[in-house]
Amino acid sequence: VGLRSPAEEEITWNTHTISVQKIEVNVSFPDDVFEFIPPAGAVVMTGRGGFSSGGGGGGIARFADDDLRHYEHRGSHEWEGETLVEHSKWKLRGTTLIFERRLTFSENGEELKIVERSKSPAGESETSCSLRLK
């Protein structure tokens, strides 16, 4: 089984071994065993979606028939001392975008400094701001 995490190119391969002890063939099942009736209010969505999660991060992918609406995201968070660092990688319209957001509280806890670094194939940028909390 191969698994490609959202917004990543590498595939992780796993092998599963199954041992069968007993097989029955031509077994009769009631007609309604495999019948699916959507619940009232269910909405039909086109395209395919996926989600994965593990450890300090996770990802999501939305596969659409229209390539402009296809997206993949993989994100994680970690503490670096007193700073919470958020890593975010997106694949949109065939382009990979990487974001890093750093949240640092002032010593008195009255202000939050936010620094965001953004990276695309064309270059990088950095923005920062402060948010008063009290």
Side-chain angles (χ1 to χ4, degrees), residues 40-90:
V43 177
V44 175
M45 295 180 66
T46 61
R48 301 167 293 155
F51 176 79
S52 69
S53 179
I60 189 168
R62 178 78 173 129
F63 302 97
D65 296 330
D66 176 358
D67 209 30
L68 297 177
R69 299 213 179 261
H70 168 95
Y71 64 84
E72 298 180 39
H73 175 260
R74 185 172 173 86
S76 64
H77 300 81
E78 64 195 17
W79 284 100
E80 284 185 11
E82 298 299 314
T83 300
L84 179 64
V85 182
E86 174 189 13
H87 302 278
S88 186
K89 185 175 185 180
W90 288 88

Side-chain angles (χ1 to χ4, degrees), residues 51-128:
F51 176 79
S52 69
S53 179
I60 189 168
R62 178 78 173 129
F63 302 97
D65 296 330
D66 176 358
D67 209 30
L68 297 177
R69 299 213 179 261
H70 168 95
Y71 64 84
E72 298 180 39
H73 175 260
R74 185 172 173 86
S76 64
H77 300 81
E78 64 195 17
W79 284 100
E80 284 185 11
E82 298 299 314
T83 300
L84 179 64
V85 182
E86 174 189 13
H87 302 278
S88 186
K89 185 175 185 180
W90 288 88
K91 280 193 157 188
L92 303 163
R93 297 184 176 196
T95 301
T96 299
L97 305 171
I98 298 172
F99 301 95
E100 178 188 87
R101 182 177 294 133
R102 304 176 74 80
L103 308 173
T104 308
F105 288 92
S106 63
E107 283 190 34
N108 63 10
E110 293 183 2
E111 190 173 53
L112 178 66
K113 181 177 179 183
I114 304 166
V115 177
E116 185 169 82
R117 296 182 182 120
S118 306
K119 185 177 181 180
S120 76
E124 299 180 27
S125 70
E126 181 174 304
T127 59
S128 63

Side-chain angles (χ1 to χ4, degrees), residues 11-70:
I11 297 175
T12 302
W13 292 96
N14 295 296
T15 302
H16 302 274
T17 303
I18 299 172
S19 175
V20 178
Q21 302 297 322
K22 180 180 176 182
I23 295 178
E24 291 184 44
V25 295
N26 297 327
V27 177
S28 295
F29 291 99
D31 291 339
D32 65 348
V33 166
F34 298 106
E35 183 179 354
F36 174 72
I37 300 172
V43 177
V44 175
M45 295 180 66
T46 61
R48 301 167 293 155
F51 176 79
S52 69
S53 179
I60 189 168
R62 178 78 173 129
F63 302 97
D65 296 330
D66 176 358
D67 209 30
L68 297 177
R69 299 213 179 261
H70 168 95

